[in-house]
Amino acid sequence: MQNNIFSGLFVGQNFVTLKEVDSTNNFLKDLVSNSKPLMEGTVIMAENQFAGRGQQQNGWFTEPGKNLTFSLLLKPHFLDIADQFDLVRVISLGVFDALEPLAGKKLKIKWPNDIYYDDHKLGGILIENLIQAGQIRNSIIGIGINVNQERFPEILPDAISLRQILHQDYDLKTLIAEICRNIEAWYLNLKAAKILNVRNTYLSRLYWLNEKRSFKSQKGIFKGIIKNVKDNGLLIVEDNNQQQVEFSLKQIEFQK
Ligand code: BTN
């Protein structure tokens, strides 16, 4: 479908909206595997997802019609598999840059790719890479942003919406267009090999960077300081013995 809300070169130029779907990531994945080649930058947005998926096998629950739930197709053939975390970085930065003018200084990226306002989760990202012959053929990038939801159920004590921050509704189409514009800009930066800019900017936006905080690992609760993120995406936390320890997502929890 042609449209005029997206100002970029390719992200959003093929834009499909669905009334209801299980998950936009599932829908886009099926489309990629069942149809003729799909244009890079295709965006599938749903008014309602009845089986939205989050990271680590969690669900993604949102009130129908109130929030952004969409998936975007990228084909980062230029990216080494070893550098796939750079895709996490550019997507997080794109979402961050679209929201920061609205939400302000309290907006952060919680490693690896949650969008946080203060100590609350404003949005999440689920990237599923389809790898073939040692190359990322297709990347399905699912993005959920809490926009106009007024309250959240008790099972989501950490969630916050843009409406709760701004005290007014925000237009979903305007926001998705801004997110897509910013993702495209960061993605093109990465493609142009501006990798250091991508990595340094991502690091500078991190929640709890250089702050002494509580974490939980296999060894129990400990105080530590986030110092860096390795090229491959592992989090580097300095513990009480000044040791720099590396963690994958499953190995560490932030203790708020
Ligand atoms: C997370 O923080 O756990 C990631 C949440 C990702 C949610 C989005 S909503 C659109 C897309 N479709 C899904 O089923 N999940 C992602």
Side-chain angles (χ1 to χ4, degrees):
M1 184 171 101
Q2 289 306 308
N3 66 89
N4 55 14
I5 63 166
F6 295 94
S7 61
L9 294 172
F10 63 101
V11 176
Q13 291 309 314
N14 183 26
F15 178 53
V16 177
T17 50
L18 305 170
K19 274 253 164 270
E20 188 171 78
V21 71
D22 56 347
S23 146
T24 55
N25 267 35
N26 295 351
F27 186 91
L28 185 53
K29 221 185 288 176
D30 288 348
L31 215 56
V32 164
S33 49
N34 298 333
S35 69
K36 52 184 188 324
L38 198 62
M39 185 183 161
E40 182 173 39
T42 294
V43 172
I44 310 289
M45 172 176 157
E47 280 175 34
N48 184 27
Q49 279 192 145
F50 54 84
R53 295 188 289 112
Q55 291 162 36
Q56 299 187 293
Q57 266 66 57
N58 288 320
W60 183 258
F61 308 99
T62 84
E63 215 175 288
K66 297 269 179 164
N67 302 308
L68 274 183
T69 47
F70 67 100
S71 300
L72 153 69
L73 175 66
L74 290 177
K75 302 184 180 196
H77 301 171
F78 61 90
L79 197 63
D80 244 49
I81 292 199
D83 291 332
Q84 55 184 301
F85 195 77
D86 287 320
L87 198 59
V88 172
R89 290 182 171 96
V90 298
I91 302 301
S92 308
L93 285 169
V95 175
F96 180 95
D97 279 3
L99 288 167
E100 206 244 6
L102 304 168
K105 287 202 178 357
K106 289 185 177 170
L107 196 73
K108 296 281 171 196
I109 298 168
K110 178 170 175 272
W111 175 87
N113 56 8
D114 285 343
I115 304 299
Y116 258 57
Y117 176 85
D118 225 352
D119 292 323
H120 297 280
K121 183 159 169 168
L122 182 58
I125 298 167
L126 177 67
I127 301 182
E128 299 180 287
N129 288 329
L130 308 175
I131 292 169
Q132 240 176 44
Q135 202 188 35
I136 307 175
R137 292 302 306 159
N138 292 294
S139 186
I140 311 286
I141 293 151
I143 300 175
I145 310 289
N146 301 324
V147 184
N148 294 323
Q149 191 157 335
E150 285 174 57
R151 33 202 102 69
F152 292 90
E154 273 174 27
I155 51 156
L156 298 173
D158 287 347
I160 195 169
S161 67
L162 204 52
R163 188 185 202 286
Q164 289 174 322
I165 298 167
L166 301 177
H167 306 290
Q168 60 183 51
D169 276 358
Y170 200 83
D171 182 60
L172 295 179
K173 291 260 168 78
T174 307
L175 188 59
I176 194 175
E178 265 310 283
I179 291 174
C180 288
R181 186 176 71 77
N182 282 283
I183 286 178
E184 181 173 305
W186 277 108
Y187 183 67
L188 292 177
N189 254 293
L190 183 65
K191 208 167 178 176
K194 299 200 175 126
I195 214 160
L196 276 182
N197 181 28
V198 168
R199 290 180 180 172
N200 292 338
T201 312
Y202 170 84
L203 189 68
S204 72
R205 306 281 188 259
L206 275 194
Y207 178 71
W208 286 10
L209 179 70
N210 292 325
E211 295 174 21
K212 192 160 201 174
R213 295 289 188 161
S214 283
F215 299 90
K216 189 175 171 189
S217 75
Q218 207 189 16
K219 293 186 184 160
I221 293 178
F222 69 100
K223 287 248 189 275
I225 303 173
I226 295 177
K227 286 290 178 184
N228 208 343
V229 174
K230 286 187 73 169
D231 295 354
N232 65 7
L234 293 180
L235 186 71
I236 301 183
V237 180
E238 185 180 281
D239 68 12
N240 261 337
N241 308 316
Q242 267 82 53
Q243 293 294 312
Q244 303 222 332
V245 191
E246 299 174 10
F247 295 96
S248 70
L249 183 57
K250 287 188 184 137
Q251 293 170 330
I252 191 162
E253 263 176 45
F254 291 49
Q255 296 277 297
K256 283 189 271 170

